[in-house]
Amino acid sequence: MLEVIHISDTHLGPDRSLDIRGANSCARTEALVKSINALPFLPDFIVHTGDVANDPDPGAYALAQEVLSDLKAPVYYATGNHDDVSMMRDALTFGEHTSLVEESADQLCYRIGGTIKEKVQFYVMDGWVPPEEGPHGFLSENQVEAVLSDITGEKPVAIFLHYPLVPVGSKWIDEHLLTRNGLAFQQRLLAAAGSQLRGVFTGHLHRGLKLFHGGVFHSGVSSPACEFTAGPEDDFCDFLPGGPIPFNHVSFTGDATLVKSYSLPLEA
Ligand SMILES: [Fe+2]
């Protein structure tokens, strides 16, 4: 059994004052950390699926390190469309991992290590594209090859990245926020991992998400900063500030993936 906490989209500013549509992202992230630390168990690890910062700024990552390093378990980070890989590498403490791309590359693509590495093959991938092209994602072939060739098919596999791979049934999101080659990657992933594929875990939507597509389980967690609308015919995502603070507790058992969603009230 592995116990994992999934968080995302903290959107921290260069100092503690940043409000996003009236919600202070630092105060809400600090409340998130406090709640995770108060859980009656110690997670094996915590994964943050990107948008650590609201804008790529060294001060934002210094603040992220200050706030998120209070978490009691190793933390792994994926790159969001608001993030900068080199700033993340410089400022953030990652749990033990094995990089699957050149360390100098502008990509965070790695196998999660530490105490779990003998049990499972869990990967963090980087779908970042330049802001002028985004906010969709794209998985480069070097990453796809590296991950797929690493999968043995003998251990449970999970993928963590910022951008959802498959349509979620909301017009603007499906046109603008997905991994452009997500469906093709899912097919290849399924071929490599088979029944060992235990799920794909994402952020970016500022919405909780659980869906089953093509035989693959997908789970997303919302943002502590603000939520988006996601109506079927929405032409754009509107902001819904002031929502509860979300995190997912994901349990990987011998034969199942269980997601328990937390929505914490907040005074901040
Ligand atoms: Fe975000």
Side-chain angles (χ1 to χ4, degrees):
M1 172 84 85
L2 283 175
E3 309 293 357
V4 176
I5 301 298
H6 179 194
I7 64 176
S8 202
D9 293 85
T10 45
H11 285 266
L12 291 163
D15 58 46
R16 293 173 181 275
S17 67
L18 179 68
D19 283 345
I20 297 175
R21 306 285 178 121
N24 183 282
S25 61
C26 182
R28 293 170 71 86
T29 301
E30 287 177 317
L32 177 70
V33 169
K34 188 175 169 188
S35 297
I36 293 169
N37 284 342
L39 289 169
F41 63 92
L42 183 63
D44 290 281
F45 68 89
I46 295 156
V47 62
H48 186 314
T49 48
D51 283 359
V52 176
N54 195 52
D55 289 302
D57 179 287
Y61 293 106
L63 181 59
Q65 174 67 8
E66 181 185 335
V67 172
L68 296 167
S69 63
D70 279 345
L71 289 163
K72 294 174 183 170
V75 185
Y76 296 93
Y77 296 92
T79 320
N81 52 306
H82 287 253
D83 286 321
D84 179 280
V85 169
S86 62
M87 290 185 197
M88 292 170 80
R89 282 203 179 106
D90 286 346
L92 302 175
T93 302
F94 289 68
E96 276 185 57
H97 63 278
T98 301
S99 184
L100 297 179
V101 296
E102 294 287 330
E103 281 289 350
S104 59
D106 264 354
Q107 294 172 330
L108 287 176
C109 177
Y110 53 89
R111 184 185 342 105
I112 291 174
T115 56
I116 70 162
K117 67 183 177 188
E118 302 305 323
K119 302 180 194 172
V120 296
Q121 293 183 307
F122 285 1
Y123 302 92
V124 173
M125 299 183 72
D126 191 332
W128 187 89
V129 301
E132 59 271 22
E133 297 175 23
H136 67 269
F138 186 84
L139 288 170
S140 62
E141 186 61 22
N142 69 311
Q143 289 184 70
V144 172
E145 282 286 337
V147 168
L148 296 184
S149 64
D150 196 66
I151 292 172
T152 62
E154 295 170 355
K155 295 178 182 178
V157 171
I159 303 290
F160 300 88
L161 79 164
H162 188 60
Y163 312 81
L165 296 184
V166 300
V168 303
S170 184
K171 184 178 167 189
W172 191 84
I173 288 174
D174 290 344
E175 287 179 9
H176 297 284
L177 296 189
L178 304 184
T179 305
R180 282 280 159 88
N181 55 343
L183 286 169
F185 172 63
Q186 172 167 290
Q187 285 187 334
R188 294 170 68 185
L189 179 64
L190 200 49
S195 61
Q196 295 285 10
L197 184 55
R198 305 298 290 282
V200 176
F201 299 87
T202 56
H204 198 28
L205 302 191
H206 291 228
R207 272 274 130 202
L209 170 73
K210 292 172 189 71
L211 69 87
F212 195 67
H213 183 289
V216 177
F217 174 59
H218 296 259
S219 175
V221 67
S222 189
S223 162
C226 63
E227 290 194 319
F228 291 163
T229 54
E233 299 301 325
D234 282 357
D235 287 321
F236 196 73
C237 292
D238 202 358
F239 289 85
L240 298 171
I245 295 176
F247 70 88
N248 284 349
H249 167 204
V250 187
S251 301
F252 295 92
T253 70
D255 56 6
T257 304
L258 301 86
V259 178
K260 288 145 279 188
S261 297
Y262 284 67
S263 295
L264 306 166
L266 175 70
E267 296 83 41

